[in-house]
C-alpha cells in the first residue's frame, strides 16, 4: 500500500481542535469501552494525525471478514449507531477526532449492543488513505461535514478533489460514497468537485433522494429549523471496465 498520496495536505485539517474535556458519563464510557471499540493507531505529528506507516488488520479487529463501511466525522454517533445496527453484516469503522463525542458514541454502542462498530480517534481523511487497502471499502459516509464557510477556509473542507482521489482509490468498484449537508454552498461545491471525477459517477445524475436509513441528527434538524434544505448525494465508484 502506498503511504499518503502526495496531494493530501497533512497540515490543513478539516476539524477544529477543541478541548478534550469530558463530562462524567463520557469519562465513564471512555474508560469502560475504549478497549473494546477504539482501535489505536500510530499517530504522526499531531495527536489526531495518522502516521504514514500505521497499519490495522480490520478482520482481526472485528474478529471476522465482512464488507467494510467507513464513516468520517461520526460526531456523537447519531447516524453511525443506528445505521451500523441496520447493517449487521458489515464491519463499520468510524473516524472522529473529538474525544468527548467518541465517548458518547461508545456509551450508545454499548447500550444498544451494536457489535459491528470500531472507532478511530484520528483524522479520517488520513486514516482512509493509510489504513485501508485500495478497492477494499464497500461504502463511505460523510454526513454534515463541517462547512467551513469563509473563502479563506475552503481549503479545510473535507470534501474536495484531493480527498475524492483517495476515496476513489479506496472504494471497491461499484461501491458508494454517501454525503449529506444542510449548506447549499457546500452542496454545490461537492457537485462541482465530484461530478467530473473520472472514477466517480453521480448515481442520480444530481441530488440523491434522502437516504431513508439516515436518522435526522441534530445537525439536520438545526438546518431544517433554520429554513435550509438538506442535500443528499451518492457517488458510485466506476468499475474497471468503465474507468
Ligand atoms: C458537523 S459534525 C457532524 C457529525 C455527524 N456526522 C452528524 O451528522 O451528526 C462534523 C464532525 O466531524 C468531525 N470531523 C471533521 N473532520 C474530521 C476528520 N478529518 N476526521 C475525523 N473527524 C472529523 C468533527 O469533529 C465533528 O464532530
Amino acid at each position: 500500500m502506498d503511504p499518503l498520496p502526495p496531494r493530501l495536505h497533512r497540515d490543513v485539517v478539516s476539524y477544529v481542535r477543541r478541548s478534550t474535556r469530558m463530562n462524567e458519563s463520557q469519562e465513564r464510557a471512555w474508560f469502560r469501552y475504549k478497549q473494546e471499540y477504539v482501535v489505536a493507531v500510530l499517530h504522526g505529528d499531531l495527536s489526531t494525525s495518522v502516521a504514514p506507516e500505521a497499519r490495522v488488520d480490520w478482520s482481526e479487529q472485528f474478529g471476522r471478514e465482512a464488507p467494510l463501511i467507513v464513516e468520517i466525522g461520526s460526531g456523537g454517533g447519531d447516524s453511525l449507531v443506528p445505521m451500523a445496527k441496520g447493517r449487521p453484516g458489515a464491519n463499520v469503522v468510524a473516524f472522529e477526532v473529538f474525544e468527548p463525542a467518541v465517548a458518547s458514541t461508545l456509551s450508545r454502542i454499548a447500550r444498544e449492543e451494536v457489535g459491528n462498530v470500531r472507532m478511530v480517534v484520528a483524522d479520517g481523511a488520513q486514516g482512509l488513505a493509510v489504513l485501508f487497502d485500495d478497492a477494499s471499502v464497500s461504502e463511505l459516509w460523510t454526513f454534515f461535514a463541517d462547512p467551513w464557510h469563509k473563502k479563506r477556509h475552503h481549503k479545510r473542507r473535507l470534501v474536495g478533489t484531493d480527498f475524492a482521489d483517495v476515496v476513489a482509490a479506496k472504494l471497491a468498484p461499484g461501491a458508494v460514497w454517501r454525503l449529506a449537508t444542510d449548506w447549499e454552498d457546500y452542496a454545490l461545491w461537492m457537485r462541482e468537485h465530484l461530478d467530473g471525477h473520472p472514477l466517480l459517477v453521480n448515481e442520480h445524475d444530481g441530488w440523491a433522494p434522502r437516504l431513508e436509513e439516515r436518522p435526522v441528527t441534530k445537525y439536520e434538524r438545526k438546518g431544517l429549523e433554520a429554513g435550509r434544505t438538506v442535500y443528499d448525494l451518492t457517488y458510485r465508484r466506476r468499475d474497471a471496465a468503465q474507468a
Side-chain angles (χ1 to χ4, degrees):
M1 222 187 329
D2 286 328
L4 280 184
R7 288 189 301 134
L8 196 59
H9 302 293
R10 292 203 293 149
D11 47 342
V12 180
V13 295
S14 62
Y15 46 90
V16 188
R17 297 180 61 74
R18 287 178 279 177
S19 145
T20 54
R21 178 167 295 208
M22 298 186 193
N23 63 33
E24 244 173 67
S25 78
Q26 289 169 331
E27 226 165 66
R28 245 192 332 268
W30 179 255
F31 288 109
R32 192 148 170 211
Y33 302 117
K34 184 173 125 181
Q35 199 70 14
E36 202 172 338
Y37 300 109
V38 177
V39 177
V41 299
L42 200 61
H43 292 295
D45 320 341
L46 302 175
S47 62
T48 46
S49 61
V50 179
E53 64 275 24
R55 294 291 175 270
V56 174
D57 180 338
W58 294 111
S59 308
E60 191 185 306
Q61 292 294 336
F62 285 93
R64 65 172 188 178
E65 297 265 359
L68 273 174
I69 296 177
V70 177
E71 178 169 25
I72 297 181
S74 50
D78 293 347
S79 306
L80 170 71
V81 178
M83 287 179 73
K85 200 171 182 175
R87 311 272 195 106
N91 290 343
V92 184
V93 181
F95 289 88
E96 173 53 59
V97 287
F98 188 45
E99 274 178 15
V102 175
S104 300
T105 308
L106 294 179
S107 129
R108 194 158 170 196
I109 289 172
R111 197 170 57 243
E112 300 195 25
E113 298 180 335
V114 184
N116 63 329
V117 177
R118 295 294 178 274
M119 306 222 45
V120 183
V121 187
D123 185 322
Q126 294 178 13
L128 184 67
V130 170
L131 304 173
F132 296 85
D133 289 328
D134 283 357
S136 70
V137 173
S138 71
E139 201 161 321
L140 173 69
W141 302 334
T142 55
F143 300 139
F144 301 93
D146 299 300
W148 293 108
H149 293 297
K150 292 185 180 142
K151 201 159 182 189
R152 69 189 158 90
H153 285 153
H154 282 179
K155 59 178 181 293
R156 301 189 67 160
R157 288 179 162 176
L158 174 68
V159 180
T161 38
D162 294 354
F163 180 60
D165 288 344
V166 176
V167 173
K170 302 300 165 182
L171 287 180
V176 291
W177 179 11
R178 301 187 189 283
L179 309 92
T181 182
D182 58 323
W183 292 103
E184 187 177 58
D185 70 316
Y186 198 11
L188 292 168
W189 163 284
M190 290 174 187
R191 293 283 305 274
E192 190 187 313
H193 288 79
L194 306 184
D195 277 1
H197 194 285
L199 295 174
L200 298 171
V201 180
N202 182 325
E203 176 95 322
H204 298 276
D205 207 13
W207 308 115
R210 190 185 185 290
L211 183 63
E212 265 182 45
E213 63 176 313
R214 188 170 61 68
V216 177
T217 66
K218 70 174 178 198
Y219 293 97
E220 177 159 14
R221 196 170 308 114
K222 239 164 93 180
L224 293 171
E225 280 169 10
R228 295 193 290 273
T229 302
V230 171
Y231 296 90
D232 278 69
L233 284 165
T234 307
Y235 289 87
R236 192 172 289 277
R237 171 67 162 83
R238 287 182 198 276
D239 61 37
Q242 293 172 299

